[in-house]
Amino acid sequence: MPRCLLLCLWLSCFLGPTVVPAQTPRPPAPTLRLIEKAETIPAKDQWLQPGDRLQVRVKAQPGALVTMLNGVPLAELAPALVQGQRGVYQTSYVVQPGDTLGTAAGVGRPLLLRLTLPDGRRDSLLTRTTVRLLDPTQLLLARTRGGLAYLNYGLGEDRLGGAKFGYLDSLVLLHVTGRVADQYRVRLADNQTAWVPEEVVRLQPAGGLVPVSLTGSWSVSGDEQFDYVRVPLQERLPYRSELLPDPTRLVIDVFGATSNTNWITQRAGLREIEDVYYQQPQPDVFRIVINLRHAQSWGYAIGYQGNVLTIRVRRPPAKLELKGLTVAVDAGHGGDNQGAVGASGVMEKNLTLAMAQKLRTLLEKEGATVLMTRDADVSVDNGLRVLRLRKALPHLLVSIHVNSAGATEVQGTATFYRYVAFRPLSKAIYDEILKTGLKPWGNVGAFNFGLNGPTEYPNALVETAFVSNPDDERRLVDPAFQQQIAERITEGLKQFLKANRAKGIRGWFSKEAAEQ
């Protein structure tokens, strides 16, 4: 036997069998994504129907064919249009009746984007958000719920509710035609839509009818406290209201209603309603116009009694003076909601409560009844404040806050109102607070803060001064200055009442009233 073979056998017995180490498999090379990003615009879950626009944007390799749905192409934008970027594709596609995402009805799914390069390479990517294509033959309805349901003009997300255009009663029937994120789009009338938050409505079972109605004959009457307009309908329809000055009138559009009114009966006992009439500006919009007797409106409420649309118009107080009036005083923030904080650590919630309590003392000395939304350092939701105030129905509301800005040099005082008919109250208070020597910031309108939203009583929000400004902050923490603010607000209320004594009925100056 050859020596080399013997040596190998001997080593094999001594060392054991030869073991070849296992080779660790190499991970596959990462696949280069040809599509970096695909998104709907807006980048939120959506419900769409034929005629809506599905807008999509993709960032991918340039020079490709990018498609969606069943081959709908996206256009590649010139770099000059997108800040020099290459490979940006987008489309604004009108949804067609036959379009499908290949999914079961009623289900939202991500949108699939496909890419093909000239060299044959391919890629695809799903959007993170979903799209549901609605069947236009299936009616989708919702009803409002709760005491604070409201409509929005659009999808604006300002924290104070800049998109909001009005409250609705509960159980109002809405025709849902789409959705973006947590807001449903609803059809009000031909070429008129609005948006409603998901949290204030409840979708209805299938089988409902389109929300439309003929109007019945009205009645206009009064009792010991209010004047009323009652319009019978066949369904609780959505509405929008506006209180206009010069001359003072209340205009209400009822969407989905068409006139079948034979007469309007105006009964005895009216004190604030001068006259009423209606218009039909388009076939599915019924307009109620209520002319008021006094230049200053003291508020109104709209709701349903059954299916009867009921407009309650408030009369002016018997005497336009603080004695005998009910004034609501709102100390902003509180409890867990500390509000703005100054450089010294002082919190808005404590400043507002201190000024509100001083204001209450002054108003009670004048003979007013004061309703405090909070009288301690407690958390009170703004929605709950509104509901309580609506129930209590004060004659006036003043909400007290302190302001804050990112720049410390910003300072001054401001008052805010939402409805132009309530501007005189905020302006009277603003003019008085300027007498403290605070710099003018302005009398600000169309302000959608929650406490300015109710239409039941004139209201004003006071941003006394900027706690973020060193000079303003020094004044705000001074109890003597807090007292001065309370005095000026009280005087502003007096001036508001005095001006209304002078204005009299429908804006005509009354010498006798001015001398009271």
Side-chain angles (χ1 to χ4, degrees):
M1 183 178 293
R3 290 183 176 180
C4 62
L5 182 57
L6 289 171
L7 179 61
C8 289
L9 290 171
W10 180 81
L11 289 172
S12 174
C13 294
F14 183 77
L15 298 175
T18 302
V19 178
V20 179
Q23 298 294 320
T24 303
R26 294 181 179 178
T31 303
L32 177 65
R33 295 252 34 153
L34 303 178
I35 302 179
E36 299 176 26
K37 186 178 182 180
E39 62 180 357
T40 58
I41 306 297
K44 298 177 179 179
D45 296 341
Q46 300 180 46
W47 293 0
L48 302 174
Q49 64 177 5
D52 290 338
R53 288 195 175 271
L54 173 56
Q55 302 190 121
V56 181
R57 180 178 296 139
V58 170
K59 180 70 172 67
Q61 288 288 313
L65 172 64
V66 179
T67 63
M68 65 177 188
L69 297 178
N70 295 318
V72 175
L74 279 70
E76 184 174 3
L77 302 181
L81 298 177
V82 281
Q83 299 178 336
Q85 295 184 69
R86 299 184 65 215
V88 177
Y89 304 79
Q90 66 182 35
T91 188
S92 181
Y93 172 72
V94 178
V95 176
Q96 301 299 310
D99 287 334
T100 176
L101 293 174
T103 59
V107 178
R109 293 293 174 86
L111 190 67
L112 179 64
L113 280 299
R114 302 178 186 273
L115 174 146
T116 304
L117 285 169
D119 61 10
R121 286 181 293 162
R122 298 174 182 273
D123 197 5
S124 62
L125 188 65
L126 292 168
T127 57
R128 292 186 177 182
T129 54
T130 63
V131 178
R132 173 184 171 186
L133 299 182
L134 299 177
D135 182 351
T137 66
Q138 301 297 316
L139 186 64
L140 190 58
L141 300 173
R143 283 194 186 273
T144 56
R145 59 178 179 173
L148 294 173
Y150 62 92
L151 294 175
N152 286 327
Y153 289 110
L155 297 172
E157 296 180 341
D158 181 87
R159 67 182 181 87
L160 295 173
K164 191 182 297 184
F165 78 70
Y167 288 106
L168 292 177
D169 198 359
S170 60
L171 300 178
V172 170
L173 188 62
L174 300 171
H175 179 187
V176 176
T177 63
R179 179 175 177 169
V180 173
D182 61 351
Q183 292 204 59
Y184 294 112
R185 183 184 61 196
V186 296
R187 182 189 184 278
L188 297 179
D190 189 24
N191 297 319
Q192 295 194 54
T193 60
W195 297 82
V196 62
E198 176 187 23
E199 64 184 3
V200 300
V201 295
R202 181 179 287 110
L203 292 178
Q204 299 298 290
L209 301 177
V210 174
V212 297
S213 175
L214 295 175
T215 66
S217 294
W218 317 5
S219 69
V220 184
S221 61
D223 60 18
E224 294 79 10
Q225 291 183 291
F226 305 98
D227 289 352
Y228 301 89
V229 175
R230 295 181 173 91
V231 183
L233 300 171
Q234 296 156 322
E235 181 56 83
R236 291 192 174 206
L237 300 178
Y239 48 83
R240 176 175 58 204
S241 66
E242 187 173 13
L243 186 58
L244 300 172
D246 302 325
T248 315
R249 63 199 184 281
L250 178 57
V251 180
I252 301 128
D253 285 343
V254 185
F255 300 105
T258 303
S259 176
N260 192 41
T261 297
N262 289 321
W263 58 74
I264 301 172
T265 303
Q266 301 187 54
R267 304 185 186 280
L270 296 175
R271 297 183 186 176
E272 181 56 19
I273 293 178
E274 181 70 27
D275 52 57
V276 298
Y277 61 94
Y278 68 88
Q279 300 169 336
Q280 191 82 51
Q282 65 185 66
D284 51 0
V285 177
F286 184 76
R287 178 167 295 165
I288 301 166
V289 182
I290 305 172
N291 289 327
L292 304 180
R293 290 183 177 176
H294 292 86
Q296 176 62 55
S297 168
W298 286 79
Y300 66 96
I302 303 175
Y304 282 96
Q305 296 177 345
N307 287 341
V308 177
L309 183 69
T310 303
I311 302 129
R312 186 185 68 195
V313 179
R314 196 166 192 182
R315 298 167 181 163
K319 292 186 177 181
L320 293 172
E321 55 188 36
L322 284 174
K323 184 177 181 180
L325 257 61
T326 299
V327 181
V329 176
D330 173 56
H333 306 278
D336 295 336
N337 185 353
Q338 64 186 20
V341 181
S344 68
V346 64
M347 298 179 186
E348 179 178 5
K349 65 174 185 175
N350 296 326
L351 294 172
T352 60
L353 183 58
M355 288 183 280
Q357 289 172 332
K358 289 176 171 58
L359 177 58
R360 176 185 60 185
T361 300
L362 290 175
L363 292 174
E364 287 177 343
K365 286 182 178 178
E366 295 286 342
T369 299
V370 179
L371 301 176
M372 300 285 284
T373 59
R374 69 179 180 97
D375 198 19
D377 184 19
V378 294
S379 298
V380 185
D381 177 74
N382 277 345
L384 184 58
R385 298 185 201 212
V386 170
L387 291 173
R388 288 175 177 174
L389 289 169
R390 280 180 171 176
K391 185 176 181 179
L393 276 182
H395 293 99
L396 300 168
L397 163 71
V398 179
S399 182
I400 301 175
H401 288 251
V402 303
N403 221 332
S404 182
T408 58
E409 64 269 18
V410 178
Q411 64 181 133
T413 191
T415 57
F416 295 75
Y417 63 94
R418 179 174 179 185
Y419 308 110
V420 66
F422 294 163
R423 179 178 183 265
L425 175 62
S426 64
K427 182 65 167 56
I429 295 172
Y430 179 66
D431 289 344
E432 288 299 319
I433 293 181
L434 286 177
K435 295 177 181 179
T436 65
L438 287 168
K439 291 187 177 181
W441 175 257
N443 178 229
V444 183
F447 190 64
N448 250 330
F449 173 64
L451 274 293
N452 291 119
T455 61
E456 286 85 349
Y457 41 81
N459 53 73
L461 180 141
V462 182
E463 292 281 5
T464 50
F466 281 82
V467 74
S468 54
N469 175 267
D471 291 337
D472 280 6
E473 182 186 17
R474 277 193 292 271
R475 302 186 75 179
L476 284 168
V477 299
D478 181 359
F481 180 74
Q482 296 169 3
Q483 179 69 23
Q484 193 178 6
I485 287 288
E487 291 171 355
R488 290 300 96 206
I489 293 175
T490 302
E491 187 59 32
L493 297 177
K494 289 181 178 180
Q495 291 301 318
F496 169 74
L497 295 169
K498 180 180 179 181
N500 279 285
R501 291 198 298 270
K503 288 178 183 177
I505 295 177
R506 296 299 294 272
W508 291 102
F509 182 85
S510 168
K511 181 178 179 181
E512 293 77 13
E515 292 175 348
Q516 289 181 6

